[in-house]
Each structure stands twice: as C-alpha cells, then as structure tokens.
C-alpha cells in the first residue's frame, strides 16, 4: 500500500492472509474469470514463500489461468547468500511450530541431518527458538538475518547463545 500510495496508484486491494485465504482466492479467481489482471504482492518477502498465496496460485492454475512469477527479494535466498554455508543440501523449513514441544521435535529432525537449514521466526518468538537451539545444539553455528534488504539490515553469527546475547544487548 505504501508503494502504491507513493506512486499515486489506486487499485482495489484484497486482504490475503492465512485465515481468509480460500475466500481471497475465490475473489481473485472471480476477477481473473472476468478477464482482469491480478497481482499477489506481499509486504514482507516473496508471496507463497511462507506468505499466503499458495492456495490462490493453485486455484488459478487449476482453473486454466496463467501465473507469471516476477522474482523479487526472498528472505531465504538473501540469507543463504550471506550466511557463508555450503547450500547444496540446505533445507528450507519455513516457520516451525509455535508450541515448544513440537518446535523442539522439528529442530531435532533438522539437526539430525547435519545440513544447514533455514527457518523463519517472528520477532516475538525468536528468543525461544534460539534458547531451544542452544539446548539442543550448543556448538552449532547460527546465522540470523533480520530486516534483510531494508535500511536496518543486520546479520549475526555465532552459537545460538552468542546470537541471543547479541540480540538481548540490542534491546537494552
């Protein structure tokens, strides 16, 4: 919306989030069926990569509409390009469970592979994730990226405990 407003572009917007994705997809499909062009735009990252849109894209394709991706910034590719890890066998895991027991089990499965992996986490839960990582793999190297491709971009690396300590110092 900020970008559209900046360029004085007025377009109909359909709110698209996980709780209303089927309803939003039906609205988009209706517009496509009318011959209109539609864009899925996310305010943080690439649509359909841990952002809503997958159901809409699937539905549009299923109904014979062409989907044209326009590559843009992806937190996943941005992070792995700056992490300095070999990424041939890197695993993308998206958001892990918000429930601690499930999250720990998901982390244990990822850690068992010994390969680098990328997870997303909200600013409100990142300390819990880092604490779990510290408990499960205290010597494993972690790279945390935040606000990537934005003005206040930061990358922190070290053990989970070191990254957590650095984050805590920033919030003081």
């Amino acid at each position: 919306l900020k970008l559209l407003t900046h360029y004085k572009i007025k377009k109909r917007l359909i709110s698209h989030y996980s709780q209303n994705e089927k309803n939003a997809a039906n609205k988009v499909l209706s517009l496509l069926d009318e011959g209109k062009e539609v864009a899925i735009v996310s305010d943080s990252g690439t649509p359909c990569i841990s952002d809503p849109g997958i159901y809409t894209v699937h539905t549009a394709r299923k109904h014979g509409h062409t989907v044209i991706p326009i590559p843009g910034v992806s937190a996943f590719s941005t992070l792995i390009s700056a992490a300095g890890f070999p990424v041939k066998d890197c695993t993308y895991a998206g958001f892990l469970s918000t429930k601690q027991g499930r999250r720990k089990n998901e982390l244990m499965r990822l850690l068992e592979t010994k390969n680098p992996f990328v997870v997303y986490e909200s600013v409100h839960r990142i300390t819990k994730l880092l604490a779990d990582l510290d408990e499960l793999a205290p010597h494993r190297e972690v790279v945390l990226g935040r606000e990537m491709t934005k003005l206040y971009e930061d990358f922190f690396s070290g053990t989970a405990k070191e990254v957590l300590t650095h984050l805590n110092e920033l919030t003081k």
Side-chain angles (χ1 to χ4, degrees), residues 73-80 82 120 144-155:
V73 175
S74 163
F76 173 75
S77 60
T78 301
L79 181 65
I80 61 172
Y120 289 176
L144 177 119
R146 65 181 198 155
E147 298 295 319
M148 292 180 295
T149 75
K150 297 177 185 170
L151 185 60
Y152 298 106
E153 174 179 272
D154 276 320
F155 292 95

Side-chain angles (χ1 to χ4, degrees), residues 28-91:
V28 168
L29 184 60
S30 185
L31 292 169
L32 291 170
D33 288 343
E34 292 173 18
K36 296 191 174 163
E37 293 182 352
V38 176
I40 298 176
V41 180
S42 172
D43 61 357
S44 59
T46 302
C48 303
I49 309 291
S50 285
D51 279 352
I54 294 168
Y55 184 79
T56 301
V57 168
H58 176 78
T59 302
R61 284 194 182 284
K62 188 172 152 185
H63 286 85
H65 295 288
T66 301
V67 175
I68 302 169
I70 300 173
V73 175
S74 163
F76 173 75
S77 60
T78 301
L79 181 65
I80 61 172
S81 69
F85 293 145
V87 294
K88 181 178 180 192
D89 292 320
C90 183
T91 299

Side-chain angles (χ1 to χ4, degrees), residues 1-166:
L1 182 59
K2 286 181 182 181
L3 183 64
L4 293 173
T5 303
H6 177 78
Y7 287 104
K8 297 179 175 88
I9 299 171
K10 294 189 184 240
K11 292 290 178 185
R12 177 179 174 203
L13 301 178
I14 299 171
S15 181
H16 207 123
Y17 50 93
S18 58
Q19 291 82 3
N20 81 337
E21 190 162 17
K22 287 186 180 180
N23 185 39
N26 288 332
K27 289 178 183 177
V28 168
L29 184 60
S30 185
L31 292 169
L32 291 170
D33 288 343
E34 292 173 18
K36 296 191 174 163
E37 293 182 352
V38 176
I40 298 176
V41 180
S42 172
D43 61 357
S44 59
T46 302
C48 303
I49 309 291
S50 285
D51 279 352
I54 294 168
Y55 184 79
T56 301
V57 168
H58 176 78
T59 302
R61 284 194 182 284
K62 188 172 152 185
H63 286 85
H65 295 288
T66 301
V67 175
I68 302 169
I70 300 173
V73 175
S74 163
F76 173 75
S77 60
T78 301
L79 181 65
I80 61 172
S81 69
F85 293 145
V87 294
K88 181 178 180 192
D89 292 320
C90 183
T91 299
Y92 169 73
F95 284 95
L96 302 181
S97 176
T98 59
K99 297 184 188 308
Q100 185 179 25
R102 282 189 190 157
R103 183 178 57 247
K104 279 187 171 182
N105 286 334
E106 292 168 343
L107 281 171
M108 284 189 289
R109 281 193 298 275
L110 290 165
L111 288 163
E112 284 171 1
T113 70
K114 306 283 190 234
N115 293 329
F117 58 89
V118 174
V119 297
Y120 289 176
E121 191 51 89
S122 79
V123 66
H124 307 291
R125 293 189 305 262
I126 189 66
T127 57
K128 292 176 184 176
L129 174 67
L130 288 168
D132 288 345
L133 269 171
D134 180 46
E135 179 185 326
L136 297 171
H139 302 293
R140 180 93 179 233
E141 186 176 359
V142 173
V143 176
L144 177 119
R146 65 181 198 155
E147 298 295 319
M148 292 180 295
T149 75
K150 297 177 185 170
L151 185 60
Y152 298 106
E153 174 179 272
D154 276 320
F155 292 95
F156 312 112
S157 61
T159 64
K161 181 176 255 170
E162 291 168 341
V163 171
L164 183 57
T165 299
H166 186 76

